[in-house]
Amino acid sequence: MLKDNRVRIIIGHYGSGKTEFSINYAIELAKQGKKVALADLDVVNPYFRSREKHKLLRSYGIEVESSYVEGSGTDLPSISAAILGPLQNESYDFVMDVGGDSMGARTLGRYQEYLVDGKYDMFCVVNANRPETQTLEGLIHHIRSIETTSRAKVTGLINNTHMLRYTSVEDILRGQELCSLASKELNIPIKYISVIESVAKELPNDLEGEILPIKMIMREDWM
């Protein structure tokens, strides 16, 4: 995690667990003593937005930026100019939670001058249980369409194959196989295996990617 580039863009299809990963990832960075900012750039999906957990994030000292107007109950169809602060200020470790498809990735276009090769990472969160990304062809198409729209390159994969609280080791291993195929096809590494804490300890030790045990923050216990 500490070897990742300072600016981390997190993408992933709807239902991939992109926002869940982004929040857990940002919290882990904060626990390591980093000065962290998280931007909610998902202007497409109105549900399970990272800015919904702003109180929790701020309790860890994480700065939260989004299109939400606090106290109004509404979003603006634009992104706060405050996002430029963490982009320009190299004292921040910056996590950008971006809309899950090529349309959502368009928001990255306005920050193109900051997305210089070697200065950022763009990680694709993969859930092999989602219909759109359960085949190699579907996953490659998803990644290519986002790269084309955002004019940025995916630099790593995150295996987050899950069935919410019913996730099994078999789910993770099936997702790992898909990610391994995509890794070879795209010549990019599997960076993380994101998995609920109860399952993480049951995984083999020889899998590619750092195992990141996560808490289910976005979904309440009854969901």
Side-chain angles (χ1 to χ4, degrees):
M1 180 175 289
L2 296 179
K3 294 181 181 179
D4 297 338
N5 284 306
R6 183 182 70 82
V7 175
R8 292 93 155 175
I9 303 164
I10 313 298
I11 63 168
H13 214 287
Y14 180 77
S16 65
K18 166 184 63 69
T19 295
E20 197 76 82
F21 175 84
S22 297
I23 290 177
N24 276 272
Y25 184 82
I27 289 174
E28 188 61 31
L29 283 171
K31 287 180 177 178
Q32 295 177 8
K34 295 291 185 177
K35 180 180 179 181
V36 182
L38 184 147
D40 180 352
L41 288 166
D42 192 343
V43 296
V44 176
N45 175 27
Y47 306 107
F48 300 110
R49 299 280 299 272
S50 54
R51 54 90 168 162
E52 294 173 8
K53 300 299 180 181
H54 67 278
K55 290 183 179 179
L56 172 67
L57 290 163
R58 288 170 182 166
S59 73
Y60 285 95
I62 297 170
E63 185 176 316
V64 181
E65 307 294 349
S66 76
S67 57
Y68 180 68
V69 180
E70 193 165 356
S72 70
T74 59
D75 284 278
L76 293 175
S78 61
I79 301 299
S80 170
I83 287 173
L84 293 176
L87 272 175
Q88 296 171 338
N89 188 339
E90 295 190 0
S91 69
Y92 281 94
D93 276 63
F94 195 24
V95 180
M96 303 171 75
D97 179 6
V98 178
D101 57 17
S102 57
M103 182 178 294
R106 289 178 183 172
T107 57
L108 290 174
R110 72 190 67 186
Y111 308 114
Q112 193 61 39
E113 64 183 287
Y114 302 102
L115 304 183
V116 180
D117 287 348
K119 296 293 185 179
Y120 74 94
D121 275 307
M122 185 157 75
F123 298 145
C124 180
V125 179
V126 179
N127 180 2
N129 286 327
R130 296 298 299 174
E132 301 86 350
T133 55
Q134 64 183 1
T135 66
L136 178 61
E137 293 75 16
L139 178 55
I140 295 295
H141 173 74
H142 173 63
I143 290 173
R144 292 301 192 204
S145 64
I146 286 180
E147 288 182 330
T148 299
T149 303
S150 67
R151 291 178 291 165
K153 290 291 185 182
V154 170
T155 61
L157 301 172
I158 298 165
N159 176 14
N160 191 49
T161 301
H162 68 86
M163 290 293 288
L164 300 177
R165 292 180 176 83
Y166 301 100
T167 301
S168 66
V169 171
E170 288 72 26
D171 288 316
I172 301 300
L173 295 181
R174 185 173 66 258
Q176 190 74 0
E177 182 177 355
L178 175 61
C179 287
S180 294
L181 292 173
S183 174
K184 293 175 183 176
E185 181 76 16
L186 299 170
N187 194 30
I188 56 177
I190 301 173
K191 292 291 295 186
Y192 297 99
I193 302 167
S194 172
V195 57
I196 56 175
E197 293 173 320
S198 60
V199 178
K201 58 187 177 183
E202 300 178 18
L203 292 177
N205 295 322
D206 58 351
L207 298 177
E208 179 185 356
E210 179 182 344
I211 296 175
L212 182 64
I214 64 170
K215 298 181 184 297
M216 293 189 66
I217 295 172
M218 291 305 300
R219 290 181 178 268
E220 306 297 337
D221 291 341
W222 57 268
M223 299 179 75

